[in-house]
């Protein structure tokens, strides 16, 4: 079959202020390299798509979070 490549990444930084309060900033990403992963192949014999990739997984996504703890 076709090989799949999967990578997730996350970075965060915590800032403390006062004694018991903190602010956390986080960035998370799925598929940060934007590598194409084939999810399905054409299986209908005699079709123009026979044996060719016909579906791909999701593209890169980024999520940013800001959290205040007190």
């Amino acid at each position: 079959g076709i090989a799949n490549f999967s990578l997730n990444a996350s970075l965060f930084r915590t800032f403390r202020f006062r004694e018991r309060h903190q602010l956390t900033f986080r960035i998370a990403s799925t598929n940060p390299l934007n590598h194409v992963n084939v999810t399905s192949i054409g299986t209908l014999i005699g079709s123009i798509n026979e044996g060719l990739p016909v579906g791909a997984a999701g593209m890169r996504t980024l999520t940013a979070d800001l959290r205040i703890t007190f």
Side-chain angles (χ1 to χ4, degrees), residues 2 13-14 17 20 23 26-27 29 36 38 47 53 58 68:
I2 297 174
R13 173 76 172 146
T14 300
F17 56 98
R20 303 169 102 180
L23 180 71
R26 179 176 179 256
I27 297 176
S29 176
V36 177
V38 175
S47 168
I68 300 174

Side-chain angles (χ1 to χ4, degrees), residues 5 11 13 18 24 35 43 48 50 57 61-62 67-68:
F5 177 77
L11 298 170
R13 173 76 172 146
R18 297 196 182 165
T24 303
H35 187 271
T43 57
I48 39 178
E50 178 184 353
T61 59
L62 290 172
R67 180 178 292 176
I68 300 174

Side-chain angles (χ1 to χ4, degrees), residues 9-62:
S10 177
L11 298 170
F12 72 94
R13 173 76 172 146
T14 300
F15 302 96
R16 291 183 180 254
F17 56 98
R18 297 196 182 165
E19 217 174 285
R20 303 169 102 180
H21 300 80
Q22 63 185 20
L23 180 71
T24 303
F25 179 68
R26 179 176 179 256
I27 297 176
S29 176
T30 57
N31 195 11
L33 302 177
N34 211 24
H35 187 271
V36 177
N37 286 315
V38 175
T39 57
S40 62
I41 296 175
T43 57
L44 186 61
I45 296 175
S47 168
I48 39 178
N49 291 334
E50 178 184 353
L52 297 175
V54 293
M59 296 175 61
R60 174 187 317 150
T61 59
L62 290 172

